[in-house]
Amino acid sequence: MLITLEGLDGSGKTTVWEALQDVHPDAVFTREPTDSWYGDAVYRSMGDADADPLAELFLYTADHADHLSRTVRPALAEGNLVVSDRYSDSRFAYQGATLAESDLDIARPMEYVRGIHAAFSRSPDATIYLDLDASTAAERSGRTDKFERDGYLAAVRENYERLIDAEPGRFVRVDAKRAPEDVIARVEDVVASLLADAE
Ligand SMILES: Nc1ncnc2c1ncn2[C@@H]1O[C@H](COP(=O)(O)OP(=O)(O)OP(=O)(O)O)[C@@H](O)[C@H]1O
Ligand SMILES: Cc1cn([C@H]2C[C@H](O)[C@@H](COP(=O)(O)O)O2)c(=O)[nH]c1=O
């Protein structure tokens, strides 16, 4: 089973992802951007305020393709639980927002990004969405990179809402404004019930 953690910067995904490792020591824990050279290229682009938005989309997508073939698909084929801190929905929500605010004339940016993935990607079985407002997210994440701006994160949040509306059965919303221990406990319960349902 593939479970992904999604949400705005600073919503607490990594905090939860680390806590889950204690409870599910046999699962495969992974993330995007990855620690491969593709991931390094992504981080390089993130650090460039003038990066071309389409080039950046394809760097993230290349990293995802490598992540799928090198880590996710083999782990799933061996019957493992895979938990990924960010996955394809991050691209749909973030690059969808980036393309929308760019000079490119793409009519439906998020659908465009989804279309690129359709031919090769694998959808998560379940996605835990850590729901947080844009300004708390920007504050928690320290507003250190080009994505951590309130206005941009508000657009990303709207995109996540559209993704949830389109596939309500895949997403489980968790209130990320609560104390870390409450968020962790709630996510642990959600994962336990997803695994029980899959048996
Ligand atoms: N529920 C919470 N309440 C308050 N602060 C939190 C909570 N969860 C995490 N934090 C703090 O917010 C910051 C960001 O947390 P974390 O790195 O887990 O978020 P993230 O979603 O992985 O962020 P990013 O996407 O930017 O990597 C950290 O300083 C963390 O200690
Ligand atoms: C996978 C992915 C990530 N991003 C953005 C979101 C964050 O601002 C950074 C890095 O993620 P991290 O969890 O803070 O390490 O990249 C993105 O725009 N598109 C993506 O596909």
Side-chain angles (χ1 to χ4, degrees):
M1 169 180 270
L2 172 60
I3 298 177
T4 59
L5 301 172
E6 290 285 355
L8 299 184
D9 295 66
S11 57
K13 296 175 303 302
T14 306
T15 302
V16 161
W17 181 78
E18 284 171 354
L20 284 173
Q21 299 188 29
D22 295 334
V23 188
H24 298 282
D26 296 332
V28 172
F29 284 84
T30 186
R31 65 191 310 166
E32 293 186 11
T34 70
D35 58 4
S36 71
W37 69 264
Y38 297 100
D40 292 346
V42 166
Y43 279 113
R44 203 166 152 186
S45 182
M46 277 168 50
D48 176 1
D50 297 324
D52 179 86
L54 259 191
E56 190 163 88
L57 163 65
F58 288 111
L59 286 176
Y60 275 114
T61 307
D63 188 41
H64 178 64
D66 177 67
H67 186 212
L68 265 172
S69 63
R70 195 168 47 87
T71 305
V72 176
R73 287 194 195 279
L76 291 173
E78 284 180 15
N80 291 299
L81 167 66
V82 178
V83 181
S84 187
D85 177 354
R86 295 196 183 279
Y87 191 74
S88 47
D89 292 305
S90 283
R91 222 120 40 249
F92 306 156
Y94 280 77
Q95 277 59 61
T98 301
L99 293 180
E101 68 175 24
S102 76
D103 295 336
L104 292 161
D105 191 15
I106 297 175
R108 284 183 288 280
M110 195 162 71
E111 288 67 23
Y112 173 75
V113 180
R114 293 184 76 174
I116 290 167
H117 286 67
F120 76 95
S121 191
R122 188 228 191 257
S123 192
D125 298 299
T127 298
I128 298 172
Y129 175 62
L130 298 183
D131 188 13
L132 190 65
D133 63 276
S135 91
T136 309
E139 199 176 304
R140 274 198 206 162
S141 57
R143 297 187 170 89
T144 49
D145 70 35
K146 64 184 177 186
F147 297 123
E148 294 166 351
R149 294 175 282 115
D150 302 25
Y152 175 75
L153 289 177
V156 173
R157 192 177 190 217
E158 275 178 31
N159 283 346
Y160 273 124
E161 290 299 336
R162 290 177 53 210
L163 292 167
I164 294 167
D165 284 348
E167 282 183 272
R170 172 163 69 86
F171 285 90
V172 180
R173 187 192 299 270
V174 170
D175 180 0
K177 255 204 142 160
R178 302 187 61 181
E181 58 272 25
D182 294 345
V183 176
I184 289 168
R186 172 74 185 121
V187 171
E188 286 177 356
D189 285 351
V190 170
V191 171
S193 83
L194 287 167
L195 291 173
D197 288 350
E199 273 178 10

